Amino acid sequence: MSRDTAQRIMLVDDDPMFSEMLRLVLAQEGFDVTLVGTGEDAYEKAVRQPPDLAIVDVVLPRMDGFTLCRRLRQAPTTRALPILILTVKGDVADKIAGFEAGADDYLTKPFQPQELTYRIRGLLGRAQSSGAVTLRDDGRGRGQVIAVFGTKGGVGKTMIAVNLAVALKKKSGKAVTLFDADFFFGDVGVHLNLPTTYSIVNLIERTDRLDPSWTDGILLKHESGIRVLLSPFRPEDAELVTVEHVKRILDFLAQTADYVVVDCQSSYDDRMLTILERCNSLMVVITPEIGSLKNTYMFLELAARLGLPMSKVHIVLNRSNSGVGIDVKEVEKALRQPVAVQVVSGGQQVVISVNRGTPLVLKQPDHVFSKQVMQMTELVLAEGQRKTKG
């Protein structure tokens, strides 16, 4: 690979011997590496001519690595720049501080060169596969909004929403955005192993002038190709998000993506009702338990009183193979509503996928859970086709 076509990496470290050694290692892998010794110089050079990726040490003269990350995230030209922190500071508190400052990944010294190369290629591939946010100009208006709702916690709502978003991307190849609207305790970022850099809080002050060029760095990129808008990182910030914010942000997301999957909060506040009213499809996730059935029955009654069309409500029976004495026929009889999709309990593999932040439909597409999520995807795509024809 020629120097002109090689991917450009900026290495920010004040140790000349280490920097030169690492430059040689990365050059052998085909990267074009620029060495910078201070945070100030790195910021000026990156903003003027952004590299493809930055490797940043924490301990730097004057401006430390955390401050550099924060400043790069604030600048329009480097807001979406992949940043890897490479440092001797390996405490958990340091790692959390790095991710909060805006780093995409964190690696401690000493390290194996193969691991560093693997992480660099992963960050670069993730950035390239996601593309930039653009307004839809295909004449088809807003994208399809799919709300995933549960009437109580613990029914697997977030697991369904995350895997559904990834499956939609895999199946359709179109632009998909996942919106974590569980404003108090959202876990989408955990399920996808995304850094806690930006959230909806970064958007709410500018909802009257949202623009793709500005929001590009706020919507986090995932290796699957989907983009993600995270919920507030601190529960106390949830109250900052108003109904008007939700309306404008949801409309904007629907203008910039073909499919918007919303992981809803298990509540009936005005923000959630706004999402439910504006969605095209409503996936109500339940489990074969008395508490879940009772709450869902009450929700369906409320939805009818609010005038929500039952045609867009789909019951998703999660853990349908639990063997707890309530089968699908009894569920349908109790709710007076057909079960649209049954999803079996994924067992240990699902738990592992959450702990590792790797959606099962991405890593194990042949797993029965993944196949059933794909069935749900087919339902969403079919509804989208009917919407287009209508």
Side-chain angles (χ1 to χ4, degrees), residues 96-113:
I96 292 174
F99 286 123
E100 289 181 340
D104 295 287
D105 203 351
Y106 197 108
L107 184 61
T108 55
K109 304 175 184 176
F111 59 90
Q112 293 295 322

Side-chain angles (χ1 to χ4, degrees), residues 262-336:
V262 187
D263 182 20
C264 297
Q265 194 170 291
S266 297
S267 73
Y268 300 143
D269 71 15
D270 289 340
R271 297 173 299 186
M272 292 305 107
L273 293 178
T274 294
I275 293 172
L276 301 185
E277 289 171 352
R278 300 169 88 86
C279 71
N280 302 103
S281 302
L282 173 55
M283 303 293 177
V284 182
V285 182
I286 68 170
T287 52
E289 300 166 326
I290 293 297
S292 177
L293 290 176
K294 175 183 73 70
N295 289 357
T296 302
Y297 180 81
M298 294 173 65
F299 166 74
L300 292 175
E301 284 193 328
L302 173 63
R305 290 199 301 271
L306 292 174
L308 293 180
M310 288 297 105
S311 60
K312 73 176 184 181
V313 177
H314 306 289
I315 303 298
V316 178
L317 180 58
N318 193 21
R319 304 170 196 150
S320 60
N321 62 335
S322 298
V324 292
I326 301 178
D327 61 22
V328 62
K329 291 183 179 179
E330 290 175 300
V331 170
E332 293 177 332
K333 182 179 180 181
L335 298 181
R336 301 175 186 173

Side-chain angles (χ1 to χ4, degrees), residues 163-178:
N163 281 274
L164 175 60
V166 174
L168 276 170
K169 180 64 179 179
K170 287 182 63 177
K171 188 71 176 179
S172 71
K174 296 182 178 180
V176 178
T177 297
L178 176 58

